[in-house]
C-alpha cells in the first residue's frame, strides 16, 4: 500500500468521524430503523395475510400453559420426572441382559481361552480382567440409559420445549445478575458440559458469558447421570417399599439435578456481586413454533450422534483406566499395592467429609471421564476390603444383582451418608478434562480456567464436609 | 435421460428437476472445491436442515435458537462443480455486537463466499428480511431460501416469492426443507449465481433521516474513489460512520480491496485465519 493510499484512508476515516457527530448519538437507532422500515415495506408487498383471525391458535394456547407462572415449573418438573423414570426403569432390563452377555458369558470364555493356550497370568489378567472388563462394564451400564435418555431429550428439543424452559428460568437468571440465555447453555450442559460451554457463545456480553462458562459445571452432565441413578436406586430407593423404589430414586436424581440448578443461580449471583460485577443486558428470547417431532429421524440421530459418540469416548478412557487400575492393584511394594498406598493416604481426609479414600481416588482416576467413577470405586473397594464378591483383585466388574453391589459397598464401610455425599460430590466436583480444555479454548484465559476447575472442587469439599458434620451431630443426638 | 432428443434435453438442462439427479452429497469430503457457499439466516429458520439436505451430513438439528454456535462445513457436487458449504451461526443482524454475529459477518465479508444463502422463515418475513437487507449491503451474490412455506400455509399466510425476488433483486426459492421440497430449485439457483448466469441487482436500504443520508453519501463517494473495485462501498461507509475499528483496520490492511480479485487459494487461507479466531 502506498503512502498516498494511506493518507486517503485516514482522510476518509476522519470525514466519517466528523460526520458521525452530525448524525447524532442515535446513529445506531436511525440505521436499524431505516433497515427495518424497508424490510417491513418489502415484506408487506410480498405477503397476503388472512383477513379473519385464526379460530384457535394451538401454539399460543400451549405457550400460555407451558410458560405460565403457575404451571410452568410444575410441568417442567413433571416432564423431567417422566424422562428419568422412563430411563431408570427402562434401562434395568437391557442393562442386565448386556451384563449377562458381556460379563457372565464372554468374560469366562476369554478366561478359558487364555487358560487353554497357556497365557501367563499377568497378561491374562491385564487384558481380560483389566482392559476387557472395564470396557464391558462401561457399555453395559451406560448404553441402555443413554439410548433411552437421549432420544427422549432430543424429542423434547425437536418439539420446541427447550426455549420454554429458558423462558421460565430467564427471570431467575436475571435476578442472579446473569444473562437469561444462560438457561439455554445450562440446558445444553445437562447433556454435556463441554457442549454447554461452547453454547455460551450465544451470550453477547463477556461478563455474563464468563459467568455462564464457570457455572456450567453444575448442570449435571450425562457422564454423571449413571452414577446418580445407580447410587439413588441402591441406597435411596432401598429406603422405601419396592413398589415405590423406582419413583423415589427418580425423585432423588431430579432432586440432585435441581440442586445443581440452585447452585448455578447461587454461584452466578456470587460472581456477579464480586469479581464479575456489571449491568445485566437485556435480550429478546424468541419462542419458536412447536413442530411435530420427526420421531424416527430423532431416534436415529440421537443414537448415532450422541449416544454412540459419548459411549465411544467413555470406552476410550475406560480402556487405559482399566489397565492402570489392574496394574496399580497388582504391583506391590512391601506387601501393599500402589493403589493401597494412595487409598490409605487419602482415607483420613475422605472420612472427614463423609466419603473415603477409595472414592477420592476414583474421582482422580475419573478426571478424563466421569463415567468410570462407579466401576473404579467397586474395583478399589474389593481391593481394600478383600471382599470375595468380585472376580479377583483389580477387576472392574458388574455384580449380578443390586443386593451384591450393596453388600460390597457395606463391606467397604459405606453408610447412607457415604451415598448421599457421593451423589453431592459427583454433582459439585471439578469438570472433566474435556470440559476444562474447552473452557480454556473459549475463555483463552488460564486464570479463569483455574477458577472454573478448582472452585467447584473446593465447594464440593465444603458441602460434603458440612453435610457430614451435621449428619454425625444429628446421629449422635438421636 | 438417454431417450431424450437433443432439443428436449437442451430445455431439460436448464430445468431444476433434471439437474437434481446430478446432486452428489459429499459429506465432509471437501477436497478441491470450486465454489464456497455460505449459509446464513435468523436462528431457528431451518439452516441446519438445509445444510443436511445439501451435504447429506446429519448435523444435529434442534428446534431452538442459537443451536449452531460454531461453523459447520460440508461439501456437495452439483453439475460439474464441487461446492463447499459453510453453515454460519444463526443471527438476527450483522451489526456484530456478539460473537456469533461477528463470526457470521466476518465470514461473509472476508471469506468472500461465491454465494451466500440466507434461509428465511416465511412466517416471519419482516424480521428475517432485516438480515437479508444487511447481507445484500455486503454482497450481491445472494440466494434467499424461503423456508417453512408449509407453516406459512398452515397459518394462512401467502408469500409471493416472485414479487419478493423482484423487490430484493436476487433469486428467491420457496422451500419446505424438512420434507426436501425446493432443494432441486435451490441447487439450481446456487449454481446459477456461482457461475454468474444470474447476476443480482441488490436492493439498497434507503436511509430516511436527512443527516444520515448526507453522511452516507459523502463517505460512500470518498470510498468509491479511493477503492473503485470495492463491491460494498455503502456498507463500508456505514460501518466507518459507526466507528467500527475492525472495518477501518481491514481497509488499512487491504483485506477488503484485495479480496475482490482474490483467487480460491487466497480465500481459503483467509478463511483458515477466520476459522482459527
Amino acid at each position: 500500500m502506498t503512502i498516498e493510499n494511506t493518507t486517503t484512508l485516514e482522510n476518509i476515516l476522519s470525514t466519517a468521524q466528523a460526520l458521525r457527530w452530525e448524525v447524532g448519538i442515535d446513529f445506531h437507532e436511525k440505521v436499524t430503523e431505516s433497515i427495518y422500515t424497508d424490510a417491513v415495506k418489502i415484506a408487506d408487498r410480498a405477503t397476503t395475510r388472512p383477513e379473519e383471525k385464526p379460530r384457535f391458535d394451538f401454539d399460543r394456547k400451549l405457550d400460555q400453559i407451558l410458560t405460565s407462572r403457575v404451571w410452568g415449573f410444575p410441568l417442567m418438573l413433571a416432564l423431567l420426572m417422566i424422562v428419568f423414570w422412563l430411563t431408570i426403569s427402562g434401562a434395568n432390563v437391557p442393562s442386565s441382559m448386556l451384563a449377562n452377555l458381556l460379563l457372565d458369558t464372554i468374560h469366562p470364555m476369554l478366561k478359558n481361552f487364555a487358560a487353554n493356550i497357556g497365557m501367563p497370568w499377568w497378561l491374562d489378567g491385564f487384558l481380560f480382567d483389566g482392559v476387557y472388563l472395564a470396557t464391558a462394564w462401561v457399555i453395559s451400564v451406560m448404553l441402555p440409559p443413554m439410548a433411552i435418555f437421549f432420544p427422549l431429550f432430543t424429542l423434547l428439543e425437536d418439539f420446541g420445549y427447550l426455549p420454554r424452559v429458558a423462558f421460565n428460568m430467564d427471570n431467575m437468571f436475571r435476578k442472579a445478575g446473569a444473562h437469561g440465555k444462560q438457561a439455554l447453555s445450562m440446558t445444553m450442559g445437562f447433556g454435556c458440559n463441554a457442549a454447554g460451554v461452547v453454547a455460551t457463545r450465544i451470550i453477547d456480553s463477556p461478563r455474563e458469558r464468563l459467568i455462564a462458562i464457570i457455572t456450567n459445571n453444575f448442570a449435571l452432565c450425562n457422564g454423571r447421570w449413571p452414577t446418580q441413578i445407580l447410587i439413588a436406586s441402591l441406597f435411596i430407593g432401598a429406603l422405601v417399599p419396592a413398589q415405590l423404589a423406582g419413583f423415589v430414586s427418580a425423585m432423588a436424581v431430579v432432586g440432585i439435578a435441581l440442586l445443581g440448578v440452585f447452585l448455578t443461580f447461587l454461584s452466578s449471583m456470587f460472581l456477579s456481586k464480586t469479581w464479575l460485577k456489571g449491568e445485566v443486558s437485556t435480550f429478546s428470547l424468541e419462542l419458536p413454533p412447536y413442530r411435530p417431532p420427526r420421531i424416527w429421524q430423532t431416534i436415529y440421530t440421537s443414537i448415532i450422534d450422541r449416544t454412540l459418540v459419548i459411549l465411544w469416548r467413555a470406552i476410550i478412557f475406560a480402556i487405559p483406566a482399566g489397565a492402570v487400575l489392574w496394574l496399580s492393584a497388582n504391583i506391590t511394594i512391601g506387601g501393599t499395592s500402589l493403589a493401597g498406598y494412595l487409598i490409605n493416604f487419602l482415607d483420613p481426609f475422605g472420612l472427614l467429609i463423609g466419603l473415603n479414600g477409595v472414592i477420592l481416588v476414583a474421582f482422580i482416576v475419573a478426571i478424563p471421564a466421569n463415567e468410570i467413577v462407579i466401576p473404579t470405586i467397586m474395583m478399589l473397594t474389593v481391593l481394600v476390603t478383600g471382599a470375595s464378591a468380585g472376580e479377583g483383585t483389580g477387576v472392574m466388574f458388574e455384580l449380578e444383582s443390586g443386593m451384591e453391589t450393596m453388600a460390597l459397598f457395606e463391606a467397604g464401610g459405606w453408610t447412607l451418608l457415604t451415598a448421599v455425599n457421593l451423589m453431592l460430590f459427583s454433582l459439585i466436583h471439578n469438570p472433566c478434562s474435556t470440559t476444562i480444555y474447552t473452557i480454556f479454548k473459549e475463555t483463552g484465559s488460564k486464570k479463569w480456567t483455574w477458577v472454573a476447575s478448582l472452585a467447584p472442587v473446593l465447594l464440593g469439599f465444603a458441602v460434603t464436609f458440612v453435610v457430614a458434620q451435621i449428619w454425625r451431630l444429628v446421629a449422635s443426638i438421636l | 435421460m438417454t431417450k431424450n432428443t437433443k432439443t428436449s434435453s437442451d430445455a431439460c438442462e436448464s430445468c431444476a428437476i433434471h439437474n437434481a439427479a446430478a446432486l452428489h452429497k459429499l459429506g465432509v469430503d471437501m477436497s478441491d472445491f470450486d465454489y464456497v457457499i455460505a449459509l446464513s439466516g435468523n436462528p431457528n429458520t431451518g439452516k441446519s436442515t438445509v445444510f443436511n439436505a445439501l451435504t447429506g451430513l446429519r448435523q444435529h438439528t434442534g428446534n431452538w435458537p442459537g443451536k449452531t454456535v460454531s461453523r459447520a462445513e460440508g461439501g456437495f457436487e452439483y453439475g460439474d462443480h464441487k461446492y463447499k458449504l459453510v453453515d454460519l451461526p444463526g443471527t438476527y443482524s450483522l451489526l456484530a455486537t456478539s460473537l456469533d454475529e461477528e463470526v457470521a459477518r466476518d465470514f461473509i465479508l472476508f471469506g468472500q463466499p461465491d454465494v451466500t444463502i440466507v434461509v428465511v422463515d416465511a412466517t416471519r418475513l419482516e424480521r428475517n428480511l432485516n438480515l437479508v437487507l444487511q447481507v445484500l449491503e455486503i454482497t450481491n451474490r445472494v440466494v434467499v431460501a424461503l423456508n417453512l412455506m408449509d407453516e406459512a400455509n398452515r397459518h394462512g399466510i401467502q408469500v409471493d416469492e416472485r414479487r419478493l425476488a423482484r423487490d430484493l433483486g436476487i433469486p428467491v426459492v420457496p422451500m419446505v426443507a424438512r420434507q426436501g421440497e425446493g432443494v432441486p430449485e435451490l441447487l439450481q439457483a446456487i449454481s446459477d449465481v456461482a457461475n454468474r448466469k444470474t447476476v443480482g441487482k441488490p436492493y439498497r436500504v434507503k436511509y430516511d433521516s436527512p443527516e444520515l443520508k448526507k453522511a452516507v453519501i459523502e463517505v460512500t463517494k470518498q470510498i468509491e474513489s479511493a477503492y473503485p473495485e470495492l463491491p460494498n462501498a455503502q456498507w463500508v461507509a456505514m460501518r466507518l460512520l459507526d466507528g467500527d475499528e475492525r472495518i477501518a483496520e481491514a481497509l488499512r490492511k487491504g483485506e477488503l480491496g484485495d479480496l475482490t480479485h482474490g483467487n480460491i487459494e487466497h480465500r481459503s487461507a483467509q478463511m483458515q485465519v477466520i476459522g482459527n479466531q
Side-chain angles (χ1 to χ4, degrees), chain A residues 210 214 275-276 440 443-453:
Chain A
L210 205 49
I214 295 171
W275 295 294
L276 293 170
F440 178 66
T443 58
S445 141
K446 281 194 184 137
K447 181 184 126 196
W448 289 114
T449 310
W450 278 110
V451 170
S453 315

Side-chain angles (χ1 to χ4, degrees), chain A residues 13 20 22 28 30-31 36 38 45-46 48 50 157-160 201 204 286 288-289 291-292 305, chain B residues 44 58 60 63-64 70 92 127 130 151 156 158 160 163 167 178 203 206 211 214 238 241-242 252:
Chain A
L13 289 179
R20 195 198 149 115
E22 285 179 32
H28 244 278
K30 278 179 181 158
V31 173
Y36 198 76
D38 287 13
R45 278 202 297 246
T48 329
E157 186 182 337
D158 205 25
F159 176 60
R201 290 186 190 171
D204 319 350
E286 173 197 11
R291 292 184 182 140
D305 291 353
Chain B
N44 213 47
R58 289 199 170 78
H60 174 66
N63 184 12
W64 54 289
S70 51
Y92 293 107
R127 203 190 44 209
N130 263 316
E151 269 176 38
Q158 285 182 314
D160 181 353
R163 179 76 207 238
D167 280 352
R178 265 155 71 101
Y203 179 89
K206 316 267 182 297
E211 311 91 59
K214 180 179 153 258
M238 290 302 304
L241 281 167
D242 200 7
R252 210 168 277 142

